[in-house]
């Protein structure tokens, strides 16, 4: 009996080793199959493929792929641009196999290289069709190339300006910020979305530096897609907008390394002094710069005060 047990144990180990080798061989085969990729197309092949798809869109829009001479001529142009036989049957299902074979043999026997200008003149592509169908790799026949390039350049500049404006306004698909309530003031409603979030971050009405504000709003949805530099710039823009609207107070104080650090705090709707008397609000756009303070000082509403060491505080107007 002990001998039989040893034999059974050895056979099981042998079978297990065989299974492991088969699994390893299968994994190697799968990895080799994934490594066998098709060669990437060349630049000319990519351009020809895009021209073929764009002209197919043009012919379908014109309805010029029927069983007539115009349809056969357009199909020959597509074949010269690299259209395959199965795709030709889908584009022109009316053509027979024999006729398609003869057309393919003719294209292979007499190949033709089309340029963008020659192809546009051949199909008589107009500027309106080029713009409406988004045909970028074929030139139109009724406008000079420089004028078309100027049109695309101007359209791109306008699109970039609009995108930057929406980015500054915080309207780039900004969902409700996590932890921040919606708009809560009539004056704040007139500000941009990110400025409203910064205004809410200053709800305790204490002096906060830009770094502390960034730590508060970094996880909010409207700031989550920004890096450190983008977040800092967004906070500075929001503070400028809020300061111009008279909603926050901004000061610059020397930081730990001797550099000027921007601090901000939220202003009450109806500011009052220590005696409960109303105080005139600071003029819009005013920024107080604290340069000689050796301790924490407060300059309410832009007034010029004196530090404990007898050095006056200087202030200047901020222009956004």
């Amino acid at each position: 009996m002990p001998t039989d047990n040893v034999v059974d144990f050895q056979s099981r180990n042998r079978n297990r080793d065989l299974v492991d080798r088969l699994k390893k061989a299968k994994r190697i085969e799968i990895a080799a199959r994934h490594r066998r990729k098709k060669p990437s197309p060349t630049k000319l092949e990519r351009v020809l493929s895009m021209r073929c798809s764009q002209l197919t869109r043009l012919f379908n829009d014109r309805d010029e792929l029927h069983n007539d001479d115009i349809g056969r001529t357009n199909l020959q142009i597509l074949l010269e641009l690299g259209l395959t036989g199965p795709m030709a049957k889908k584009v022109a299902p009316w053509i027979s196999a024999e006729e398609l074979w003869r057309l393919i043999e003719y294209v292979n026997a007499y190949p033709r290289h089309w340029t963008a200008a020659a192809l546009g003149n051949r199909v008589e592509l107009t500027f309106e069709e080029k713009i409406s169908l988004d045909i970028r790799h074929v030139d139109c026949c009724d406008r000079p190339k420089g004028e078309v390039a100027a049109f695309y350049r101007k359209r791109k500049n306008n699109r970039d300006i609009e995108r930057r404006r929406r980015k500054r306004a915080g309207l780039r698909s900004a969902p409700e910020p996590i932890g921040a309530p919606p708009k809560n003031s009539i004056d704040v409603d007139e500000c941009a979305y990110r400025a409203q979030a910064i205004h809410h971050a200053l709800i305790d009405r204490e002096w906060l530096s830009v770094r502390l504000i960034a730590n508060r709003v970094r996880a909010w949805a409207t700031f989550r897609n920004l890096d450190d530099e983008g977040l800092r710039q967004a906070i500075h823009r929001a503070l400028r907008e809020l300061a111009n609207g008279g909603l926050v107070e901004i000061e610059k104080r020397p930081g730990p390394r001797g550099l000027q650090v921007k601090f901000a705090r939220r202003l009450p709707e109806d500011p009052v002094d220590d005696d409960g008397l109303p105080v005139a609000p600071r003029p819009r756009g005013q920024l107080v710069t604290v340069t000689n303070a050796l301790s924490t000082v407060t300059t309410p509403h832009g007034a010029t005060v004196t530090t404990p060491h007898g050095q006056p505080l200087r202030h200047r107007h901020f222009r956004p």
Side-chain angles (χ1 to χ4, degrees):
M1 292 297 294
T3 306
D4 297 338
N5 293 335
V6 172
V7 173
D8 294 339
F9 180 74
Q10 292 177 354
S11 62
R12 284 197 300 268
N13 288 340
R14 196 179 303 111
N15 294 335
R16 191 180 298 112
D17 295 340
L18 180 60
V19 172
D20 293 341
R21 287 197 298 269
L22 291 176
K23 289 182 179 180
K24 184 177 180 180
K26 189 173 182 179
R27 286 196 295 268
I28 294 175
E29 181 184 358
I30 293 174
R33 192 187 315 130
H34 284 289
R35 284 195 299 267
R36 291 194 296 267
K37 297 181 179 179
K38 295 182 179 179
S40 58
T42 61
K43 182 179 179 180
L44 179 60
E45 292 174 349
R46 292 196 300 269
V47 171
L48 291 178
S49 177
M50 287 185 286
R51 286 177 180 174
C52 183
S53 61
Q54 292 170 6
L55 287 187
T56 304
R57 190 187 316 143
L58 173 66
F59 295 150
N60 289 330
D61 183 74
R62 292 179 176 178
D63 199 12
E64 293 182 349
L65 283 174
H66 290 296
N67 189 6
D68 52 11
D69 295 338
I70 297 178
R72 286 175 173 80
T73 303
N74 294 335
L75 183 61
Q76 179 180 344
I77 294 175
L78 295 178
L79 290 173
E80 291 172 349
L81 293 175
L83 188 69
T84 60
M87 291 301 298
K89 288 293 293 184
K90 292 182 179 180
V91 171
W94 43 265
I95 193 170
S96 61
E98 294 79 7
E99 186 178 3
L100 179 60
W101 181 253
R102 289 196 301 269
L103 195 58
I104 292 175
E105 285 185 341
Y106 178 81
V107 170
N108 293 334
Y110 303 96
R112 184 170 183 178
H113 175 68
W114 288 99
T115 62
L119 195 58
N121 293 329
R122 178 64 184 82
V123 300
E124 297 180 356
L125 178 66
T126 62
F127 178 74
E128 288 76 12
E129 291 175 334
K130 180 179 177 67
I131 299 302
S132 61
L133 299 177
D134 194 19
I135 300 177
R136 303 297 296 267
H137 296 81
V138 181
D139 295 341
C140 59
C141 61
D142 56 346
R143 296 286 182 89
K145 193 173 182 179
E147 184 177 349
V148 177
F151 171 81
Y152 280 117
R153 186 165 53 250
K154 182 178 179 181
R155 189 175 71 173
K156 181 181 182 301
N157 292 337
N158 295 336
R159 188 167 57 246
D160 293 342
I161 291 173
E162 180 64 19
R163 186 181 67 253
R164 287 193 293 267
R165 186 193 67 80
R166 291 180 61 85
K167 184 178 179 180
R168 286 193 300 267
L171 300 178
R172 188 179 55 182
S173 64
E176 289 294 330
I178 300 175
K183 308 169 185 179
N184 54 3
S185 174
I186 298 177
D187 295 334
V188 179
D189 286 346
E190 300 175 358
C191 300
Y193 192 83
R194 286 177 175 168
Q196 298 170 21
I198 297 298
H199 188 264
H200 175 70
L202 301 172
I203 195 170
D204 48 4
R205 294 177 183 173
E206 296 180 356
W207 287 103
L208 296 177
S209 64
V210 174
R211 176 173 295 183
L212 293 179
I213 297 174
N215 293 336
R216 284 192 176 188
V217 304
R218 188 182 303 274
W220 293 2
T222 186
F223 299 99
R224 196 182 304 159
N225 59 343
L226 300 177
D227 55 0
D228 294 340
E229 181 64 21
L231 179 60
R232 187 186 64 82
Q233 294 179 4
I235 292 174
H236 281 294
R237 285 194 296 265
L239 290 178
R240 285 198 296 266
E241 184 177 358
L242 294 172
N244 293 334
L247 299 173
V248 300
E249 187 178 6
I250 299 177
E251 288 186 2
K252 277 194 174 182
R253 306 174 183 176
R257 292 178 292 181
L259 302 177
Q260 294 294 324
V261 179
K262 183 181 289 187
F263 285 78
R265 73 170 180 176
R266 183 175 177 179
L267 291 176
E269 287 75 10
D270 298 321
V272 295
D273 57 8
D274 297 336
D275 299 331
L277 300 177
V279 179
R282 173 190 294 183
R284 295 187 176 186
Q286 191 174 15
L287 177 67
V288 175
T289 304
V290 181
T291 57
N292 300 325
L294 300 180
S295 60
T296 303
V297 295
T298 303
T299 309
H301 310 293
T304 302
V305 298
T306 304
T307 63
H309 298 277
Q311 297 173 340
L313 300 176
R314 298 193 297 271
H315 65 276
R316 62 180 176 85
H317 289 279
F318 174 77
R319 291 183 177 85

